[in-house]
Each structure stands twice: as C-alpha cells, then as structure tokens.
Amino acid sequence: MSRSAHPAGPRHADVLPEGHYSAPPADLNTLDPKVWAQTVTRTEDGSVSVGGIGVARLAEEFGTPAYFVDEADFRARARAWRTAFGHDADVFYAGKAFLSRAIVRWLYEEGLNLDVCSGGELTTALSAGMPADRIAFHGNNKSTDEITQAIEAGVGRIVLDSFQEIVRVAHIAQSLGTRQRVQIRVTVGVEAHTHEFIATAHEDQKFGIALADGQAAEAVRRALALDGLELIGIHSHIGSQIFDMAGFEVAARRVVALLAAVRDEHGVELPEIDLGGGLGIAYTSDDDPREPHEIAKALGEIVTRECEAARLRTPRISVEPGRAIVGPTAFTLYEVGTIKPLDGLRTYVSVDGGMSDNIRTALYDAEYSVALVSRTSDAEPMLVRVVGKHCESGDIVVKDAFLPSDLAPGDLIAVPATGAYCRSMASNYNHALRPPVVAVQDGEARVIVRRETEEDLLRLDVG
Ligand code: LLP
C-alpha cells in the first residue's frame, strides 16, 4: 500500500502523542543484536533470516503467526549459564518460561537441570528423558496427585511452599516408603521490580513462608522433625525481569542468616541454597541485561562472604533462570493485515495473531520491539501500535513502536524476544489456534510444537 492509500496519511515522527517510546531509530532496517536472537540477520535481498533461513520461506512453510526459536542461540545461552556457575553450582531452567520435549533434550545435552511447577510440566520433562534427579518440583498448591507423581518419579527436590505442604509431602513420601529431598521456599522481604526493589511489602503474597516473625525458622523445625523429609536447603525467588543485583544480594544475605540460625539451633548445616530466577532480558534497545558470568560472580561473592562471616561452610548454590535463557532466542512472525492511520494519534497495524499468542503486553503493560522483516524500506518512520485480531481493544502486541510508513498488508513483521512466557501463556481466545514453535538451525527448520488445528479444538469440545 502506498502512502496515498492511507486516507488520513500515516503519522510521522514530527508530532508525537504521549507514549512509552524514545525517538525513532536512525535506521529502521537495522536490527539491534541486543533484542534479536544471535543468528538473526538481514540478507542481501533486504529480508531477514534466522539460522540461515529467510522469513518468507519460513512463513510459506509454517504459516503465520508462528514462533521461531534460534536453536544455536538457545544452546549458547544455556551453556553460558552452565559455564558461568561451574561445577559447584546448579542451573535449573524454569520450564514455565517455555517447555517442550525438544527444549528438555537441549537442556539435558547442555548439562542443565529443570524446574517444573505442575504435573504437566513434570510429565513433559520425564517423557523427553530428563533424569528425575535433575528436576525440581515447585508450586504453591501442589495436589496430592502431583506430589505422589513427583515422589514416585524420584525428583531431585520438592520445594515446599507452606506448612500444610511440609506435612503432606512428608506423609506421602513415608507412605511410599521413601525420604524426599526438599527445600523450603522463603520470602525474604524483598520485592524486586525491573529497576528497583522495595523492602518489607513482599510478605503479602501467596508464595513461600516468611522469614519475618520466625515463620521460616518454624518451617525448618517442622521439616527436620519429619522422617519422610530430607531437608537439603532454603529457596528464595524475588521476582521477575530484574536488572539490579541489589535485591539478590539482600536475599542471599537473609537466606544465609537463616542457615546460620538453623546451625545454631539444630547443629545442622543445610548444604544448598537456591536463589531462584528472574534475571531481566532486553525487550527493547533501552534494556541492559546482565551477563550470566556477572550474575554468577556477584552471587558467588556475596554468599561466600556472608558464609565466612557466619563461619558456615559455603552451600552449593543453584539458580533458576527461565526468561534469560529462552526469551531472547525466539521471535514471533506475523503477517500485516489492515492498517488504520488515526490522525493526530498513531497508525494501528493489525496482525494475524495478538493477545492469544502474546498476553504479556495486555497483562503487564510489557514493552516490545518490532521490525519489518520481509524487506527493507527507506520510507519515513511512522508511529504504530501493533494490535491483534481479537475482540477487544486491549489486544495490543506492541504498544508504541516505529515502522516504515510504506508498510502494506502482506508485509511480514516480527516481534523479537518472545521466547519466554508467550507460547507458554498462549490461549485459545476467540478460538484462535495456538501458533507452532519452529526450531531453526544451520539452514534447517523443524516444528517442535505444531500449530493447533480446528480438529484439536473440536476434540476437546465433546458436544
Ligand atoms: N523460579 C521460580 C520459583 C519462579 O517462580 C520463576 C518465575 C522462575 C524461577 C523463573 O523466572 P524468570 O527467570 O523466567 O523470570 N509470566 C510472567 C513471569 C512469571 C514468572 C513466575 N515465576 C511474565 O511473562 O513476565
């Protein structure tokens, strides 16, 4: 569609309404490596490729919308975490970010462990061959069936989240004639957001057992007294999309203080601590994430220092990154449909997906980037809002971004950094068919989760 085809004319960067954006980038054709997967590049014909395959071919073969995962990038990031933490620590990938059997196999091959938080995630992990002793089982309301399934499978640890669960897990383990390795999840009184952390408010939430008021110490007391449990450590997860290490440092200090208190009271030195996940990634060029080696160094130093001060043996550390491993490795490919310029505001660009494949913008006001990937363009930037095809106005994929003003229906656009919490939180709203996940590497593309079909929908609807 040419510019003149927009009745009101596209909105350019000259006068901009309020929004969460910086000035348009100097060149809309440039792909910022911070937000795109490693092998994503513009080829000579101006289109974009991943793993050596152009997006036009990917769209033709797999349709749109679809998620494309850069397998080499995923493996490299998993390996970077593994290497950064070394052999004295464990990295548990948080499966809630995105889990499939191929992902489980990549994790296994790269030496990572896996954190699951439901019977479904556990079944996926086991069916892809992840050894049970490398799996941690989480959740604030695990069912009796889930606990039984986890213990029977022989999971390496169950992370206990409440006083009732301490008793329930001990009882089920004992009735199965075993002793289950467990950690206790504590809330350390640190609330971590993207850029700040706020002390104290954090006990007011459903996860964990508060350190404050001696609750966590009481949980340790009860767990140590039960034959069905082998208490191996303390767990803390402070939040998500965090860039600042200060919250982790406070958490580590408070967890180590609990270990010291446990040693003083029971004469037992718990051998492990888990500091959870939550490390931030770049969704836009404004985000500056930490590298795994910086995170490993910062956490290692603080734990060692605190343990020396408390004269404790340094426990084995584990972490649970989800988003930081899978998030940057994938993008969602959409075809542009209707384009609606709203004079004085912005141009609404509709795509063939929406909040059913990325709920994060509607749910968390999350920010994303977007680029025209089927060709280059020298047209002026126009301010756009990328929206989906669902029946509500909150169906926004990218709230504020710039795309070239000659954008036309049929163009392919891609939203980077959608590897985490997009497919895993996808829905069938409006009976949308959830998109496939396609792994791309070295010129080969392979479906790892297929697109849903109308038969899938009808199979569940038993009439
Ligand atoms: N460990 C525990 C105990 C967790 O609860 C979580 C995330 C993680 C690890 C992994 O966090 P990550 O490294 O991926 O940030 N749906 C939200 C994120 C919810 C995270 C819940 N727990 C989103 O789309 O941002």
Side-chain angles (χ1 to χ4, degrees):
M1 188 188 285
S2 72
R3 267 223 244 161
S4 57
H6 293 292
R11 185 75 198 165
H12 292 291
D14 46 1
V15 188
L16 297 173
E18 279 185 24
H20 294 209
Y21 49 85
S22 355
D27 178 8
L28 287 179
N29 299 315
T30 305
L31 301 172
D32 182 349
K34 250 203 303 190
V35 297
W36 292 89
Q38 249 167 41
T39 73
V40 170
T41 177
R42 263 204 204 268
T43 53
E44 268 171 25
D45 70 357
S47 74
V48 166
S49 73
V50 56
I53 308 184
V55 289
R57 201 184 114 196
L58 292 173
E60 196 180 303
E61 200 170 333
F62 303 103
T64 55
Y67 308 97
F68 293 95
V69 185
D70 181 341
E71 181 176 343
D73 191 15
F74 183 99
R75 287 180 180 273
R77 286 176 198 273
R79 215 173 302 135
W81 277 87
R82 188 77 210 84
T83 310
F85 278 84
H87 291 290
D88 296 330
D90 297 300
V91 180
F92 287 76
Y93 168 81
K96 67 205 82 181
F98 173 62
L99 196 65
S100 78
R101 290 192 278 187
I103 294 282
V104 174
R105 284 192 292 275
W106 302 348
L107 293 166
Y108 173 74
E109 287 162 13
E110 300 301 340
L112 274 73
N113 296 354
L114 182 60
D115 139 13
V116 300
C117 64
S118 70
E121 287 184 1
L122 179 59
T123 300
T124 304
L126 293 172
S127 79
M130 180 59 86
D133 63 358
R134 282 169 56 176
I135 297 175
F137 195 85
H138 272 278
N140 68 302
N141 187 23
K142 305 169 190 78
S143 70
T144 301
D145 282 351
E146 285 174 321
I147 295 168
T148 307
Q149 181 193 1
I151 297 176
E152 280 179 342
V155 297
R157 64 176 69 158
I158 293 180
V159 183
L160 302 173
D161 199 274
S162 67
F163 284 103
Q164 284 101 334
E165 199 173 83
I166 293 172
V167 178
R168 197 177 307 142
V169 171
H171 176 75
I172 296 172
Q174 231 179 348
S175 67
L176 292 170
T178 184
R179 219 167 159 234
Q180 178 60 47
R181 289 160 58 88
V182 295
Q183 290 188 337
I184 293 174
R185 179 167 174 177
V186 302
T187 46
V188 292
V190 173
E191 187 177 357
H193 289 303
T194 308
H195 297 110
E196 85 243 41
F197 70 96
I198 304 157
T200 71
H202 196 56
E203 276 88 25
D204 188 3
Q205 54 135 325
K206 70 171 182 167
F207 290 111
I209 298 174
L211 268 179
D213 305 333
Q215 300 260 348
E218 176 58 21
V220 169
R221 227 166 269 138
R222 294 190 193 178
L224 286 174
L226 290 164
D227 286 340
L229 304 181
E230 179 190 348
L231 181 62
I232 59 165
I234 301 297
H235 182 287
S236 153
H237 171 76
I238 58 170
S240 269
Q241 186 61 0
I242 301 163
F243 293 101
D244 187 348
M245 292 305 291
F248 286 99
E249 294 193 5
V250 174
R253 259 204 307 276
R254 294 184 183 170
V255 168
V256 171
L258 177 62
L259 293 191
V262 170
R263 186 258 332 263
D264 294 346
E265 182 178 343
H266 305 280
V268 174
E269 290 200 26
L270 298 178
E272 296 190 17
I273 65 174
D274 190 307
L275 294 172
L279 284 312
I281 63 165
Y283 286 103
T284 73
S285 298
D286 294 337
D287 296 326
D288 283 309
R290 297 290 193 101
E291 294 293 325
H293 66 87
E294 294 176 81
I295 295 158
K297 186 164 175 282
L299 294 183
E301 280 174 3
I302 181 85
V303 172
T304 307
R305 193 168 65 231
E306 294 298 312
C307 287
E308 274 170 9
R311 287 196 294 282
L312 277 169
R313 264 194 309 276
T314 305
R316 190 175 176 85
I317 298 176
S318 51
V319 285
E320 298 172 335
R323 183 191 327 263
I325 293 178
V326 71
T329 69
F331 61 80
T332 314
L333 188 64
Y334 299 102
E335 186 180 303
V336 172
T338 54
I339 298 176
K340 233 183 240 183
L342 297 190
D343 203 23
L345 290 171
R346 70 196 88 239
T347 296
Y348 278 77
V349 173
S350 295
V351 293
D352 47 357
M355 65 195 301
S356 55
D357 58 71
N358 187 350
I359 190 67
R360 297 194 68 261
T361 307
L363 201 53
Y364 313 117
D365 209 13
E367 288 181 35
Y368 281 92
S369 322
V370 61
L372 170 61
V373 289
S374 44
R375 61 184 172 91
T376 51
S377 165
D378 294 326
E380 268 193 79
M382 64 173 171
L383 179 64
V384 301
R385 179 159 288 173
V386 179
V387 295
K389 56 183 291 174
H390 296 285
C391 295
E392 60 179 85
S393 48
D395 174 24
I396 297 169
V397 180
V398 185
K399 206 167 171 192
D400 294 300
F402 291 93
L403 283 171
S405 49
D406 63 352
L407 193 76
D411 276 333
L412 296 174
I413 61 175
V415 174
T418 57
Y421 303 107
C422 286
R423 180 60 179 80
S424 66
M425 294 172 78
S427 76
N428 290 119
Y429 184 37
N430 297 143
H431 282 201
L433 304 171
R434 285 178 297 175
V437 183
V438 181
V440 191
Q441 175 162 247
D442 296 335
E444 280 182 29
R446 177 168 72 92
V447 174
I448 59 174
V449 179
R450 74 162 166 78
R451 185 183 298 284
E452 252 172 352
T453 62
E454 284 173 354
E455 292 82 77
D456 290 328
L457 290 183
L458 293 178
R459 199 170 304 137
L460 297 179
D461 180 342
V462 294

